[in-house]
Amino acid sequence: MDVMGDKATLFETGRFVQPSGEEPSRDVDEVGEDAEEVRLGMAARAGDAEAASILGAMLLRRGDLDAAEPQLRAAASAGDRPAANNLGVLLHQRGYADEAADWWRIAAVAGSAAAAHALGRHHRERGDEPAAEYWLRQSAEQGHVLGAYALADLLEHRGDSRSAYWMRAAAERGHREAAYRLARSLDGGDTEPGTGREEEPGATKASNEAEQWYRQAAARGHRRAALHLGAILEKRGELKEAGRWYLTSAKDGEARAACALGFLLRDAGDTESAAVWWLRAAQDGDGNAANALGALHAERGETQTAERWYRAALDAGDDNGAYNLGLLCAEQGRTAQAEQWYRRAAYAGHREAANALAILLLRGGDTSGAEPWFSKAAEAGSVDAAFNLGILHAGRDTERDSEAAVRWYERAAAAGHTEAALQVGIARLREGDEQTAERHLRCAAGGGSAEAAYRLATVLDARRPPEPAHELGESVHDKTECEEWYERAAGQGHRRAQVRVGMLAAARGDVVEAARWYRAAAEAGSRNGAFNLGLLLAREGSEPEAAVWWTRAADAGHGRAALRLALVYARRGELAEGQRWAARAVELGPKEVGERAARLRDALREELSA
């Protein structure tokens, strides 16, 4: 059993009484202490119980147990309450716990809060919780901070809701561990550095109060409180103050704070300083810091050093070490070793390692081996694995697999996966559920998917009433929402969207804008873009340039472009070339184009044979 309480309560005398939780001040200076000890000794020998009590406390504080014990026994036997408490402390230090408890009981009955606290702890260590609670309550109700904390700890251990009252009481009286534990209960564990947990609605008040208690504990030197205070401030964006508290905690030996400080410095661009703190944390057994060091060396191409730190992380119990080793081996083409490390991490419950293992197996052709790992990762919350499962099921032809694919896509989409939201939108469009499709397409488009933006625009476009025909140069209405989505997709390089934006610009009479978008689509390989650009150029009198783009479109399989070329060459008198492109248009279609091209081809053949 540790020494009961701090020095202020251990050496409780009438003259040395200190507020609980504070270090006792010296009643005399160093020079006069020997003289004071002589005076107290003479008074004690003359029968002064108070002097004997004070002298015994001085000797006990000095560690001279042999000299302190007779003084404290004499004073305690004479009824001096502080002496009885301190005699209990002395006997406890010597291993006589039962006799110590007897003297504590005497002092506690006489009203000593410190003795009641010590006696309560004595009973708790012996498993007598009812007796422990009784004496700790006596101590706490007298305002003894250590008694309040010990009572709160006992009640919390038993699941008694009254523990919160006494924990708060101890915290309000300055007990730093009580302040820290009160803060932890208020924030619900949300301030672990690197968890990225979102604050629940309505939790602001509790979070603010938790922060205040963390501040109180941290200001009193509680290193874990400083760590969590730093995490709160970092989450709020107050990085400078967060760094100060991380630094305080790290200097006191908190490895997690050193690691968090390293990430803060890295994000600020100071990787060298970050590495110093990660090294310090890793050497103290922090696996996260070891992984960070590994990643830093991997980025520098120092793969051997990176592997060493990843192994150190694994030795520290961090499964990310095995996952990172798998990534490192996979990048180096060491597939067999990558699979082994992924398996190790996956069997330990690492969901991204399970997903990576499944991808590795799938690439090797082992679909049946990949699917269970995708499932395990997805069930553990891996969004990528849920999406991959959707792809796996979508690649099969059965109706059951199609339904399963959509279910997994929906799970991934609900977690914010853009491509999954697109796939759900496409599936719901096929089913005719336009409302659900639109919702998912909006999510995917908002997440940056050009295809989703285009498909959303087509859904909105289909709802618009028909527009009256407009001549080039005639101004029309302002842009609609569907046009804005087309433009967003076009701006992201979506070729069909670029063609559609060009068409809408042409309808507004903006020839320059139309040509710009048609050209962008054509240069990206769109045959419709090339064909439309040719039409625009021909209309503007640039038929030779138009023919260049129609040739590109026709070579890519555009039947109308081939027919246009046939007409161009026929007008020029190049009948053989015209016949060749007409024949090509017949092959490409569509039907009405093929019919027109066939008539032109036959006419040109007759002309050539005449």
Side-chain angles (χ1 to χ4, degrees):
M1 179 175 174
D2 295 333
V3 174
M4 300 294 177
D6 57 19
K7 291 183 179 180
T9 55
L10 294 179
F11 310 121
E12 182 187 2
T13 71
R15 293 177 61 190
F16 282 26
V17 172
Q18 302 284 341
S20 296
E22 297 181 6
E23 291 292 331
S25 59
R26 299 292 298 269
D27 201 55
V28 293
D29 56 27
E30 294 290 340
V31 177
E33 186 169 339
D34 291 340
E36 177 69 4
E37 184 178 334
V38 171
R39 186 190 68 76
L40 290 171
M42 293 175 61
R45 286 192 292 274
D48 188 333
E50 182 181 3
S53 176
I54 296 172
L55 179 58
M58 289 176 61
L59 295 168
L60 178 58
R61 183 173 57 202
R62 190 185 300 162
D64 190 350
L65 304 188
D66 290 336
E69 184 172 351
Q71 301 294 340
L72 292 175
R73 282 190 180 277
S77 298
D80 187 274
R81 186 184 73 184
N85 177 53
N86 288 338
L87 180 57
V89 173
L90 184 148
L91 291 167
H92 183 270
Q93 289 182 13
R94 284 188 154 170
Y96 303 121
D98 291 335
E99 187 181 356
D102 290 339
W103 285 108
W104 280 330
R105 185 173 292 104
I106 290 170
V109 169
S112 171
H117 164 246
L119 187 58
R121 286 192 54 182
H122 168 83
H123 283 297
R124 186 176 182 186
E125 288 184 353
R126 277 154 180 73
D128 188 353
E129 290 194 358
E133 181 181 351
Y134 173 82
W135 289 111
L136 291 175
R137 191 175 296 278
Q138 296 298 314
S139 175
E141 288 176 349
Q142 292 180 64
H144 193 275
V145 63
L146 297 177
Y149 174 71
L151 177 59
D153 186 66
L154 174 63
L155 294 173
E156 185 176 90
H157 172 73
R158 284 163 34 183
D160 193 322
S161 60
R162 293 173 296 174
S163 64
Y165 171 83
W166 289 109
M167 193 68 76
R168 183 176 292 276
E172 289 172 346
R173 295 169 190 168
H175 195 287
R176 70 181 189 183
E177 183 66 24
Y180 171 72
R181 289 176 63 173
L182 180 58
R184 292 297 287 156
S185 69
L186 287 167
D187 78 4
D190 283 344
T191 59
E192 289 290 348
T195 60
R197 292 177 60 174
E198 294 294 328
E199 190 174 84
E200 294 293 328
T204 304
K205 183 178 179 181
S207 297
N208 291 341
E209 187 179 1
E211 180 181 344
Q212 296 309 311
W213 288 116
Y214 279 134
R215 283 189 181 279
Q216 178 172 310
R220 291 176 176 269
H222 197 292
R223 69 186 192 188
R224 283 173 295 163
L227 166 69
H228 291 288
L229 178 57
I232 288 174
L233 293 165
E234 181 182 1
K235 185 176 180 181
R236 204 160 62 212
E238 299 176 21
L239 303 184
K240 190 172 182 180
E241 188 180 359
R244 287 200 299 269
W245 285 112
Y246 282 149
L247 180 61
T248 297
S249 181
K251 285 181 175 178
D252 285 340
E254 180 59 56
R256 290 179 296 169
C259 181
L261 180 58
F263 282 112
L264 214 58
L265 290 165
R266 181 204 63 183
D267 293 343
D270 190 355
T271 54
E272 295 304 319
S273 296
V276 170
W277 287 105
W278 282 335
L279 178 61
R280 181 168 176 172
Q283 289 173 337
D284 287 339
D286 189 283
N288 194 23
N291 271 315
L293 279 173
L296 185 63
H297 287 288
E299 288 173 4
R300 295 172 176 172
E302 301 165 355
T303 55
Q304 289 185 336
T305 306
E307 184 170 341
R308 179 167 61 85
W309 281 113
Y310 288 149
R311 287 180 182 274
L314 188 59
D315 292 340
D318 191 328
D319 296 325
N320 277 314
Y323 173 59
N324 287 331
L325 281 166
L327 291 174
L328 194 66
C329 291
E331 288 172 0
Q332 296 172 338
R334 297 153 58 193
T335 307
Q337 290 108 318
E339 181 179 339
Q340 290 174 356
W341 288 117
Y342 285 149
R343 282 189 185 278
R344 179 165 178 174
Y347 278 122
H350 195 293
R351 65 190 188 191
E352 297 310 326
N355 180 57
L357 174 60
I359 292 172
L360 202 66
L361 294 171
L362 193 61
R363 286 174 179 168
D366 188 2
T367 305
S368 60
E371 186 172 350
W373 286 111
F374 277 139
S375 296
K376 185 174 182 179
E379 294 295 351
S382 171
V383 179
D384 288 336
F387 177 66
N388 290 335
L389 266 177
I391 294 174
L392 202 63
H393 284 287
R396 299 167 182 166
D397 294 332
T398 69
E399 182 179 345
R400 183 177 179 181
D401 278 305
S402 296
E403 293 172 354
V406 175
R407 284 199 303 273
W408 285 112
Y409 284 145
E410 285 179 328
R411 180 181 291 198
H417 196 290
T418 298
E419 186 63 25
L422 169 62
Q423 295 303 321
V424 175
I426 293 171
R428 295 309 178 209
L429 279 177
R430 283 198 302 264
E431 297 168 2
D433 186 355
E434 192 174 287
Q435 186 175 2
T436 303
E438 181 182 342
R439 188 176 77 250
H440 282 94
L441 289 174
R442 284 187 182 277
C443 290
S449 169
E451 181 67 23
Y454 173 73
R455 288 179 180 268
L456 175 60
T458 60
V459 169
L460 299 173
D461 205 359
R463 295 177 188 165
R464 294 196 304 170
E467 292 285 346
H470 295 279
E471 295 295 331
L472 287 175
E474 182 182 350
S475 61
V476 292
H477 59 78
D478 294 332
K479 294 178 184 177
T480 62
E481 186 189 4
C482 78
E483 291 177 73
E484 290 172 356
W485 283 114
Y486 278 135
E487 288 188 358
R488 179 180 294 194
Q492 293 174 263
H494 194 286
R495 293 184 301 180
R496 284 176 295 168
Q498 289 171 336
V499 172
R500 184 61 180 147
V501 171
M503 293 170 66
L504 292 168
R508 289 195 304 270
D510 191 343
V511 178
V512 175
E513 185 73 358
R516 183 172 73 86
W517 286 113
Y518 286 151
R519 190 179 298 276
E523 290 176 347
S526 169
R527 61 189 187 184
N528 284 329
F531 174 70
N532 286 0
L533 180 58
L535 289 178
L536 203 64
L537 291 167
R539 187 177 300 179
E540 293 297 306
S542 301
E543 189 175 85
E545 188 180 354
V548 172
W549 289 106
W550 282 334
T551 301
R552 181 180 292 194
D555 287 340
H558 198 288
R560 286 187 173 86
L563 179 57
R564 289 277 177 172
L565 283 171
L567 291 168
V568 167
Y569 284 111
R571 284 196 298 270
R572 291 178 184 174
E574 300 178 29
L575 304 185
E577 190 67 10
Q579 182 184 356
R580 185 175 73 83
W581 281 113
R584 178 65 175 151
V586 171
E587 293 173 6
L588 296 173
K591 183 180 178 181
E592 66 275 11
V593 170
E595 291 172 351
R596 289 180 60 196
R599 290 194 295 270
L600 178 61
R601 178 198 59 192
D602 294 342
L604 291 173
R605 181 185 299 128
E606 290 178 6
E607 185 71 21
L608 285 168
S609 62

